[in-house]
Amino acid sequence: MANQSESTAFLRRALWIMFALSLIGVAFAGTLTFREFQGTAASCPAVGTPGTIFGYPACVYGLAFYIALALISGFALLRTREMATRRTSDVAPAS
């Protein structure tokens, strides 16, 4: 039982790290994407020019992938919390 608890704790720590890094990525890629579409970006190529992917700068795809990673890790954190609370409620109190 302790081994399962330790592995769940390790999984939750890894998910929290992944969630935090993905939020940093969302902020960074979101800033670049916002600046790109406002026309003030110096680092991303303009929409439709060479250096884009399917007509959009790479920062747009980075934003989409970081959002997806944040959602996946966030839902996984919620799921592991539900599993942990269910497991602790299954343990009968000592009388």
Side-chain angles (χ1 to χ4, degrees):
M1 186 70 159
N3 192 18
Q4 187 177 12
S5 174
E6 290 173 7
S7 64
T8 302
F10 174 77
L11 174 66
R12 286 190 56 81
R13 275 193 304 272
L15 286 171
W16 272 113
I17 292 169
M18 190 182 321
F19 185 68
L21 290 175
S22 66
L23 289 180
I24 292 168
V26 166
F28 182 71
T31 301
L32 289 177
T33 301
F34 177 77
R35 290 178 60 198
E36 175 62 32
F37 287 117
Q38 292 298 317
T40 60
S43 60
C44 289
V47 176
T49 61
T52 61
I53 304 168
F54 299 115
Y56 293 100
C59 56
V60 174
Y61 297 105
L63 177 61
F65 288 126
Y66 278 122
I67 289 172
L69 185 61
L71 289 173
I72 291 168
S73 59
F75 285 131
L77 279 168
L78 290 175
R79 179 75 174 144
T80 57
R81 183 176 66 179
E82 291 172 5
M83 290 171 46
T85 56
R86 190 176 320 131
R87 191 175 319 121
T88 56
S89 66
D90 291 343
V91 176
S95 300

